[in-house]
Amino acid sequence: MKPNTICKYSKCKKHYYSCGYCIATENWKAMACCREHYKLYIEEVLAARAKGETIDPLPDRTDMTKAEIKELKKRPIRQVKMETEAELQNYMDDCDTLNIHEAVDQINKEIDENK
């Protein structure tokens, strides 16, 4: 798997991997490369909104347009989960990973190690 998402925290902009299920469930992994950056990003969003600024609430993906992300978010979560599990199935089997989020974590670990 290749990086397909850019961290939304303004001081990071790291490229990392996130899955469609992360987007559909609005998991923090769809928006930031780590929990700390997600928290900092949310603080930026709240500060910007307090100033009346408009914030783009969609993930920054390199493999999807904003329109495609919006369409994905409209689809049934169960369907997106099944598709994501199928997409990651070989990876999950090879790594003995139990769930989607663990597979995404392992993919990002390997991406970081290969840099």
Side-chain angles (χ1 to χ4, degrees), residues 45-80:
V45 168
L46 294 174
R49 287 182 179 163
K51 296 177 187 174
E53 297 174 11
T54 303
I55 301 297
D56 174 13
L58 297 175
D60 289 338
R61 297 278 297 226
T62 58
D63 63 341
M64 297 175 79
T65 65
K66 295 293 183 181
E68 290 171 325
I69 293 170
K70 287 177 184 177
E71 287 301 313
L72 174 68
K73 290 174 74 70
K74 291 179 185 175
R75 294 176 47 215
I77 290 175
R78 180 176 290 182
Q79 179 185 8
V80 175

Side-chain angles (χ1 to χ4, degrees), residues 79-91:
Q79 179 185 8
V80 175
K81 181 179 182 187
M82 288 174 35
E83 291 170 1
T84 301
E85 287 173 338
E87 180 181 325
L88 299 177
Q89 188 61 52
N90 290 341
Y91 195 88

Side-chain angles (χ1 to χ4, degrees), residues 3-7 13-17 62 108 111-112 115:
N4 61 1
T5 308
I6 303 168
C7 184
K13 301 301 182 188
K14 175 181 177 179
H15 287 76
Y16 65 99
Y17 175 81
T62 58
N108 282 309
I111 289 170
D112 289 344
K115 285 187 178 178

Side-chain angles (χ1 to χ4, degrees), residues 7-24:
C7 184
K8 297 244 338 181
Y9 175 50
S10 67
K11 294 183 175 103
C12 180
K13 301 301 182 188
K14 175 181 177 179
H15 287 76
Y16 65 99
Y17 175 81
S18 69
C19 65
Y21 185 67
C22 293
I23 294 171

